[in-house]
Amino acid sequence: MKKIFAFLLLAALSPLGALAQDPVTNSGSDNDEGSLFDMVTGLKTKTDKFHLYLNTHANFNLNWEGDGGTNFEGGKFAFQQLRIEFKGNINDWISYRYRQRLNKGQYEGGYFDNILKAIDIAEVGFRYKKVNFVIGKQCAAYGGIEFDLNPIEIYQYSDMIDYMENFMTGVRVAWDLNPKHQLQFQVLDALVDYKATEKYGPNIERAKMPFVYTANWNGNFGNVYNTRWSASYMQEIKNRGMWYFAFGNQFNITPKWGMWLDVLYSREGIDRKSIITNVTGMQDNHCVYNTEYLSLIFHTNYFVHPKWNIFGKVAYERNGVYKTSGSQAQGDLIHKGTYGIDYLYIGGVEYYPLKDRGLHFFLTYVGQNQRHTGRAQQYGQPASYYTNMLTCGFIWQVPLF
């Protein structure tokens, strides 16, 4: 039954299966090659060649919003995350990984890379000694501890990560300097599911090579201090680029107690995240120039019992303009300075009933306070806005096969 269920799930979730037409009698395959069903059911024992997971984050939410965060908006049951994933190692030097979101834009194709937006990862890796070469749609090698976590583990992302494009098509080379330190270099498509003119304005000219370039260092110092640092440069439109720096620092204080701190900074020639643009409106029919974003994120957790964990997370985020641009005469002058400061605070308790801690139940509070400075209030923004959410549910990476 387990094998049959795995096959039925793959067939139902496959984009080709969902969009299938009449069978092709001459598919070019050899008669000796088996179908996917034969491949899956033919595995007598579970090996490293094929692992199938269902990533789930299901919850019940109660929400309050408004100036004081006291206006009750309602409650609902929802799947925050639902993804199918399979991966494995064909042999010592070839690996693969595929992950697809099941609750987002299933059949909307990416503008630039011609692959479904719902597909997070579709990559193949080739390893030679200490070097691993990966090609396909993959996660950007940005630094930061929160960014590198499985999305199902996140109750609420910081704005910096929430507004970033995480999954893009390209190539990545990882070099293991030694068992504890790794360098990565990556080149990806910067434009994914939109045209430059759709996002930034009708008069914007797309760069001829709209790529994002990333250098990443992952370090391990005695399993006590771990680093995920990166520097990235992205250019989607002509003459306007973006720098992004991420410094992730993880501390394992004791086997029960851990914490991490992310420092993230983005300096954008044109407002890629559109947070400032949403405050001020378009500038001369395009997104605002010369924006910057800073995020400081701290998380700590403590296992009071092997099955019970308490945790807390706070984030400070600032957005602004680092250089005045526009014309006073045309009424699109955007002044240098800070426009908004956001605070995110999360706390809760988790219960892990299984020894492998793959499944856990949670009760969590998520609060956010968005504050606008005088510059933003001139554009009609409120001085402050609060959101509060009480959520309970479960998170489970279900090992289907």
Side-chain angles (χ1 to χ4, degrees):
M1 284 298 294
K2 189 175 184 181
K3 296 175 181 178
I4 295 175
F5 176 74
F7 165 72
L8 293 176
L9 185 62
L10 279 172
L13 301 178
S14 168
L16 296 178
L19 299 176
Q21 300 176 1
D22 294 334
V24 180
T25 56
N26 184 12
S27 63
S29 62
D30 296 329
N31 292 331
D32 291 337
E33 293 183 2
S35 64
L36 180 59
F37 177 81
D38 295 328
M39 292 170 60
V40 174
T41 57
L43 294 174
K44 302 301 182 183
T45 60
K46 185 176 180 180
T47 69
D48 198 33
K49 292 185 178 180
F50 183 80
H51 299 273
L52 177 64
Y53 303 96
L54 182 65
N55 296 318
T56 61
H57 181 144
N59 53 22
F60 173 71
N61 297 334
L62 296 173
N63 295 276
W64 294 263
E65 298 182 2
D67 185 21
T70 57
N71 298 326
F72 180 64
E73 293 294 319
K76 66 176 181 179
F77 292 96
F79 270 95
Q80 181 168 315
Q81 300 284 345
L82 185 61
R83 306 175 191 231
I84 188 72
E85 177 176 0
F86 54 89
K87 58 185 177 180
N89 297 307
I90 302 300
N91 51 38
D92 292 339
W93 62 281
I94 301 179
S95 61
Y96 67 92
R97 185 182 180 190
Y98 179 93
R99 189 173 76 194
Q100 181 172 339
R101 284 170 283 184
L102 307 180
N103 53 350
K104 179 179 180 180
Q106 279 293 295
Y107 307 113
E108 298 177 21
Y111 154 69
F112 205 69
D113 58 9
N114 197 34
I115 190 171
L116 298 180
K117 291 190 296 183
I119 297 176
D120 292 339
I121 299 171
E123 65 181 30
V124 177
F126 304 90
R127 172 172 286 277
Y128 177 72
K129 295 183 177 179
K130 294 184 177 183
V131 178
N132 192 34
F133 179 81
V134 178
I135 185 170
K137 191 168 185 181
Q138 55 197 272
C139 184
Y142 299 142
I145 304 302
E146 180 176 67
F147 182 85
D148 197 55
L149 295 174
N150 190 323
I152 64 173
E153 300 290 343
I154 304 300
Y155 297 104
Q156 175 63 53
Y157 277 114
S158 62
D159 284 347
M160 179 75 81
I161 297 178
D162 220 11
Y163 283 85
M164 293 184 69
E165 191 67 50
N166 300 343
F167 305 105
M168 296 172 275
T169 301
V171 296
R172 180 177 80 251
V173 178
W175 178 28
D176 296 330
L177 302 176
N178 56 53
K180 293 184 178 294
H181 295 274
Q182 180 189 70
L183 293 179
Q184 296 189 67
F185 302 94
Q186 189 179 54
V187 181
L188 303 172
D189 287 335
L191 293 172
V192 180
D193 58 356
Y194 52 80
K195 297 180 180 179
T197 54
E198 293 175 347
K199 180 176 179 63
Y200 296 111
N203 298 324
I204 293 299
E205 182 179 352
R206 175 176 66 84
K208 293 184 178 180
M209 297 181 68
F211 294 148
V212 53
Y213 309 88
T214 296
N216 171 283
W217 168 47
N218 299 322
N220 184 321
F221 296 87
N223 294 321
V224 175
Y225 172 53
N226 300 321
T227 64
R228 291 193 177 277
W229 293 8
S230 71
S232 304
Y233 177 76
M234 176 186 297
Q235 186 170 26
E236 295 178 296
I237 68 172
K238 187 176 181 180
N239 300 326
R240 292 281 172 177
M242 181 193 83
W243 285 98
Y244 176 62
F245 301 95
F247 303 95
N249 307 274
Q250 185 178 41
F251 306 89
N252 300 312
I253 310 301
T254 71
K256 295 181 179 181
W257 180 27
M259 62 181 66
W260 51 260
L261 172 67
D262 283 347
V263 181
L264 315 174
Y265 177 72
S266 176
R267 190 177 180 92
E268 307 176 1
I270 190 169
D271 191 14
R272 189 175 197 273
K273 296 176 183 58
S274 298
I275 295 176
I276 298 293
T277 302
N278 290 336
V279 170
T280 65
M282 299 289 279
Q283 178 186 21
D284 192 24
N285 212 21
H286 60 71
C287 289
V288 175
Y289 288 156
N290 309 323
T291 59
E292 63 178 353
Y293 299 91
L294 171 69
S295 292
L296 305 176
I297 311 164
F298 176 78
H299 177 279
T300 185
N301 68 283
Y302 185 81
F303 276 89
V304 297
H305 182 274
K307 293 186 177 182
W308 289 93
N309 179 49
I310 56 175
F311 67 94
K313 170 182 166 182
V314 293
Y316 166 88
E317 302 192 88
R318 177 177 60 83
N319 57 73
V321 174
Y322 63 85
K323 181 181 178 181
T324 300
S325 64
S327 169
Q328 184 72 54
Q330 296 180 4
D332 62 1
L333 185 66
I334 306 297
H335 290 279
K336 173 183 176 181
T338 299
Y339 283 71
I341 297 176
D342 294 351
Y343 298 94
L344 175 68
Y345 26 91
I346 301 175
V349 58
E350 299 169 329
Y351 172 65
Y352 294 79
L354 306 179
K355 289 185 178 181
D356 63 2
R357 292 182 177 172
L359 166 68
H360 63 270
F361 300 90
F362 62 85
L363 176 63
T364 303
Y365 166 76
V366 180
Q368 193 167 14
N369 179 10
Q370 300 176 332
R371 297 183 180 181
H372 295 102
T373 65
R375 291 184 179 86
Q377 293 177 41
Q378 292 179 357
Y379 294 93
Q381 301 299 325
S384 63
Y385 190 84
Y386 294 83
T387 59
N388 297 285
M389 179 176 68
L390 187 63
T391 177
C392 62
F394 70 89
I395 295 173
W396 192 10
Q397 187 179 56
V398 187
L400 298 177
F401 191 90

